[in-house]
Amino acid sequence: MTDSSDIRFLLAIQQNGSLIAAARKLGLTPSAVSQRLQQLEKKLGTRLVDRTARKLIFTEEGTLLCQRGSELIEQFDTLMEDLRVRHAGLVGTLKVNAPLGFGRRHLAPVIADFQQQNPDVDVALTLSDQPLTEAADRFDVVVHIGELRASNLVGHAIAPNARWVCASPAFVKRFGQPEAPDDLTRLPCIVLRENNEDVSLWHFSRGKTSRSVRVASKLSCNDGDVIHRWACEGRGIILRSEWDVADAIRQGTLVRLLPAWRAPDANVIALTHNRSGLPRRTRDFMQYLQARFRPLPPWRT
C-alpha cells in the first residue's frame, strides 16, 4: 500500500520530466530518486515509468496513479488547510493571472486589499497579454475578459462589460461619423492583439441583423493602454471594452461610434480548476472579488 508521500514523489517526476530534474526539485541525488522509484514499483508490483536514454515514459499504471493521485492529494491538502483555517484563519499562497490593463487598473487594488485583510495569505499576481495561453495549471485563479473558448476550467461571473467602437473628437471631425459597420473598412483602425484571436475581424448586431467587417489596421499592440492612448491622440478607431473607455467617453476625450450597433459583450469572469474542493483562500478570494464589482462595476457607477 502506498501513501501520499509516494504519490507526491511520482508527481514530482511527472511534472519535472526527468529523474535529474526531479532530484533537484526534491533536494535528492539522481541515484536516490531512481532507487526510491524502484522501491515504489516493487511495493506496488507494477512498473510505473519506462526509462530510456532520452526520456521517461509513464506506463498506463503510472499515468493512472498520477491522475487519480493528484486528485486525492488536492482533496487531502484542501482538508488539511480547512482544518488549519478553522484554527488560525486563511493561510497559504494564492496565484492569480489576469490581463495587463484590467489587472493594473481594477484587479491590483482588489488583490492588495484582500491580502491586507488576510495577512497570512501570500498573493502572487501575474499580468499577461495572453492569460489563457499560459500554463493555467500554474494559477489558482485566471481572470478572463470576453467569450471563453472550449476549456476544462470553471467560469465564475464577476462583472458585465460591453464593447464599444470609439475614436477621438478630432478624428471624428476629420473623417466624419461612420453610419454602418461597413464604413469602418475605409477608415484607419487600431487593434489589440491578445489570446491569439482574429483581432481585425469585428462583429456587430442590430436587432436580428448581424454584420462582420475586416478592418484595416496600420497600428496594433498587445497592450490596451497603448491603443487607448493612440485613439485619444486621433490616430484611429478602436473596439475596446467598456471598462477601459467609459471614463474617457464621460470626459470627452473619446467619442462612441455606431451606438445603434452592438458588439459582442466581453464580460469579466474568473476561472478556477474546480467548482467544489477549492482551498478556502481561493473560495474566499472569489467571493471578495465578486463583491467588489457588485451591484455595479466601477465603470458603470
Side-chain angles (χ1 to χ4, degrees):
M1 182 175 180
T2 188
D3 58 28
S4 64
S5 64
D6 288 332
I7 297 175
R8 293 180 197 274
F9 168 74
L10 191 63
L11 288 172
I13 296 176
Q14 183 190 56
Q15 292 164 0
N16 288 278
S18 71
L19 297 183
I20 294 177
R24 287 197 296 266
K25 180 69 175 180
L26 296 169
L28 302 172
T29 65
S31 61
V33 171
S34 180
Q35 183 178 11
R36 182 172 178 183
L37 178 57
Q38 292 173 11
Q39 292 172 347
L40 178 57
E41 291 176 327
K42 183 177 179 180
K43 180 164 57 173
L44 294 174
T46 185
R47 193 165 183 81
L48 301 173
V49 182
D50 289 327
R51 284 80 106 186
T52 68
R54 293 186 176 182
K55 60 181 180 179
L56 302 177
I57 302 175
F58 277 72
T59 65
E60 289 186 12
E61 292 76 12
T63 300
L64 177 63
L65 184 56
C66 286
Q67 289 176 343
R68 298 290 297 276
S70 63
E71 297 173 3
L72 293 173
I73 290 296
E74 182 177 355
Q75 293 174 8
F76 178 79
D77 288 347
T78 299
L79 173 60
M80 292 299 101
E81 180 177 349
D82 283 348
L83 291 175
R84 290 195 299 270
V85 166
R86 285 175 178 269
H87 176 68
L90 295 189
V91 296
T93 299
L94 178 69
K95 298 178 181 179
V96 182
N97 195 6
L100 286 168
F102 186 85
R104 290 194 198 103
R105 192 181 309 179
H106 293 294
L107 191 59
V110 175
I111 285 179
D113 290 345
F114 176 80
Q115 196 285 322
Q116 187 174 39
Q117 294 179 25
N118 301 278
D120 292 327
V121 176
D122 299 331
V123 186
L125 172 62
T126 299
L127 300 182
S128 168
D129 62 332
Q130 297 185 357
L132 285 184
T133 63
E134 297 196 9
D137 58 353
R138 295 193 294 113
F139 300 97
D140 302 300
V141 178
V142 177
V143 176
H144 175 66
I145 299 175
E147 182 181 359
L148 180 64
R149 297 189 295 271
S151 172
N152 59 357
L153 299 175
V154 178
H156 308 260
I158 301 300
N161 176 55
R163 297 169 75 221
W164 295 337
V165 180
C166 306
S168 71
F171 182 94
V172 174
K173 183 177 181 180
R174 179 182 176 189
F175 292 96
Q177 280 268 6
E179 297 181 359
D182 285 348
D183 295 339
L184 299 176
T185 63
R186 298 183 290 274
L187 296 170
C189 296
I190 306 170
V191 299
L192 174 67
R193 303 190 310 271
E194 58 182 354
N195 289 324
N196 294 326
E197 297 174 354
D198 188 355
V199 294
S200 63
L201 185 63
W202 293 1
H203 306 281
F204 300 92
S205 64
R206 185 176 64 179
K208 296 182 179 180
T209 303
S210 298
R211 192 76 182 98
S212 296
V213 296
R214 177 73 67 180
V215 300
S217 58
K218 296 293 185 180
L219 288 172
S220 68
C221 185
N222 67 331
D223 189 329
D225 286 350
V226 172
I227 73 164
H228 181 121
R229 184 167 64 250
W230 283 341
C232 291
E233 293 170 354
R235 301 181 187 275
I237 297 171
I238 59 173
L239 175 61
R240 196 69 182 112
S241 282
E242 176 189 2
W243 70 259
D244 181 43
V245 297
D247 285 346
I249 290 173
R250 281 193 288 266
Q251 294 165 5
T253 54
L254 287 176
V255 176
R256 186 178 174 188
L257 309 178
L258 300 175
W261 290 86
R262 183 185 182 96
D265 288 341
N267 295 330
V268 183
I269 60 176
L271 306 171
T272 61
H273 296 286
N274 301 288
R275 190 172 297 278
S276 59
L278 293 174
R280 173 73 181 279
R281 60 179 175 273
T282 304
R283 298 198 307 269
D284 280 21
F285 174 72
M286 292 295 300
Q287 294 172 1
Y288 185 84
L289 180 61
Q290 290 172 324
R292 286 287 292 262
F293 289 91
R294 291 175 181 171
L296 290 175
W299 50 89
R300 292 190 178 179
T301 57

